[in-house]
């Protein structure tokens, strides 16, 4: 049985005071010992203060991006080890906003995944197609390239979670239907089985992301291949995020 994993991607939101209030609210409202994994992914400057705010909580935290070099003249970048030093457990790599706004390609993302794992961070690796790619019948080809050009070979899947985030569903209020999510997740799992083996594919957790809300979370996570969610907008309000955690717990 794959344990469900609810992750909140705060993106470039929240002041320190707002972040502290959000964590306080989530901790007060969520169940005591949730049978699911929970993570929050604050902007870099909030990592250290969130380590403190989360002390004694089962919620883990991580960063939204990293660079692949360990140190040096890379103004504005942050290394995996610097992230790890904050107490962070994980990092998101390949989010569609990194791919499309910051033009990060599969070759760069592969280096980032390798570097993050080497520093001891868990990785949420994001994949997903644009609307025009889906409409042109290219969804599987796009996902295939995002998987095979980044994963495989020496890269162990043990500390990787994949997030399927169709770009047309991110921040648009237009969620993929549970059937669309299931179809893409099943494709990803099948592709991973070919790239690794069927046992690795079976244990791999695949999150869905894109306009997840408290009222659709349970149904999405009841699909056989949907093992959790990566949540943007709805992770910024304690009631909404706790509603999604409860949806994960209630999912069949
Ligand atoms: P959204 O973002 O939940 O606001 O659609 C999801 C994401 O980008 O991870």
């Amino acid at each position: 049985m794959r344990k469900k994993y609810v992750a909140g991607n705060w993106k470039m939101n929240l002041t320190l005071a707002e972040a502290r209030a959000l964590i306080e609210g989530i901790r007060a409202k969520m169940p005591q010992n949730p049978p699911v994994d929970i993570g929050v992914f604050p902007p870099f400057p909030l990592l250290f203060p969130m380590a403190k705010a989360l002390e004694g909580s089962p919620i883990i935290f991580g960063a939204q991006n990293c660079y692949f070099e360990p140190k040096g003249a890379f103004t504005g970048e942050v290394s995996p080890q610097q992230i790890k030093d904050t107490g962070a457990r994980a990092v998101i790599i390949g989010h569609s906003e990194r791919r499309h706004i910051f033009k990060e390609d599969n070759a760069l993302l592969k280096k980032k995944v390798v570097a993050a794992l080497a520093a001891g961070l868990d990785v949420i690796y994001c994949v997903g197609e644009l609307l025009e790619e889906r409409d042109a019948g290219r969804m599987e080809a796009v996902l295939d390239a995002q998987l095979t050009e980044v994963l495989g070979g020496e890269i162990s899947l043990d500390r990787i979670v994949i997030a399927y985030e169709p770009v047309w569903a991110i921040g648009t209020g237009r969620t993929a239907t549970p059937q669309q999510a299931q179809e893409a997740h099943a494709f990803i799992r099948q592709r991973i089985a070919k790239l690794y083996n069927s046992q690795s594919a079976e244990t791999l957790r695949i999150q869905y992301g894109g306009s997840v809300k408290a009222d659709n979370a349970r149904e999405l996570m009841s699909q056989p291949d949907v093992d959790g969610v990566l949540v943007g907008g709805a992770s910024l309000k304690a009631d909404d995020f706790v509603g999604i955690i409860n949806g994960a717990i209630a999912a069949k």
Side-chain angles (χ1 to χ4, degrees):
M1 235 336 235
R2 296 180 293 262
K3 196 174 184 186
K4 298 268 193 279
Y5 182 6
V6 176
N9 171 13
W10 293 357
K11 308 192 180 184
M12 198 176 72
N13 293 298
L14 305 179
T15 62
L16 176 56
E18 288 166 345
R20 284 191 173 130
L22 174 59
I23 292 297
E24 210 172 293
I26 294 170
R27 292 187 68 167
K29 289 168 185 179
M30 68 180 250
Q32 278 300 318
N33 293 304
V36 299
D37 287 334
I38 304 167
V40 293
F41 292 77
F44 291 131
L46 297 181
L47 291 175
F48 269 118
M50 288 309 102
K52 182 136 186 49
L54 288 167
E55 262 168 23
S57 157
I59 303 176
I60 66 110
F61 68 97
Q64 301 167 14
N65 179 34
C66 67
Y67 198 52
F68 65 86
E69 293 285 2
K71 64 177 179 182
F74 304 105
T75 302
E77 294 297 317
V78 177
S79 77
Q81 185 59 48
Q82 290 171 322
I83 292 168
K84 180 87 176 151
D85 282 349
T86 67
R89 290 263 293 273
V91 60
I92 298 173
I93 294 179
H95 188 277
S96 74
E97 286 145 22
R98 300 300 317 174
R99 289 179 187 271
H100 298 291
I101 302 173
F102 300 101
K103 309 293 177 214
E104 296 190 358
D105 62 13
N106 290 333
L108 172 65
L109 297 174
K110 185 181 186 78
K111 291 183 192 168
K112 292 189 175 197
V113 170
V114 169
L117 292 175
L121 291 168
D122 295 345
V123 169
I124 296 183
Y125 174 59
C126 303
V127 298
E129 80 287 358
L130 296 163
L131 184 59
E132 63 255 37
E133 292 167 337
R134 173 173 277 259
D135 287 347
R138 295 188 48 236
M139 176 186 93
E140 294 193 350
V142 170
L143 295 179
D144 189 69
Q146 291 172 338
L147 294 171
T148 58
E149 291 173 19
V150 174
L151 304 178
E154 303 289 284
I155 297 178
S156 159
L157 277 184
D158 293 353
R159 285 187 290 116
I160 295 181
V161 169
I162 291 182
Y164 169 64
E165 299 203 306
V167 182
W168 45 272
I170 295 178
T172 57
R174 190 181 152 189
T175 326
T177 64
Q179 292 68 31
Q180 285 172 322
Q182 169 56 28
E183 205 178 280
H185 284 225
F187 171 78
I188 291 167
R189 203 177 297 287
Q190 188 197 82
R191 204 60 202 81
I192 290 291
K194 274 200 216 149
L195 201 56
Y196 290 86
N197 54 59
S198 54
Q199 202 202 324
S200 303
E202 260 317 293
T203 47
L204 173 75
R205 290 189 291 184
I206 308 175
Q207 296 173 318
Y208 166 80
S211 299
V212 175
K213 305 271 179 296
D215 62 9
N216 59 23
R218 178 185 165 167
E219 201 188 351
L220 283 161
M221 283 184 274
S222 294
Q223 302 302 308
D225 287 296
V226 180
D227 310 311
V229 285
L230 180 55
V231 187
S235 72
L236 299 172
K237 292 212 176 99
D239 285 328
D240 294 349
F241 194 60
V242 171
I244 292 169
I245 293 169
N246 289 332
I249 296 169
K252 292 283 172 320

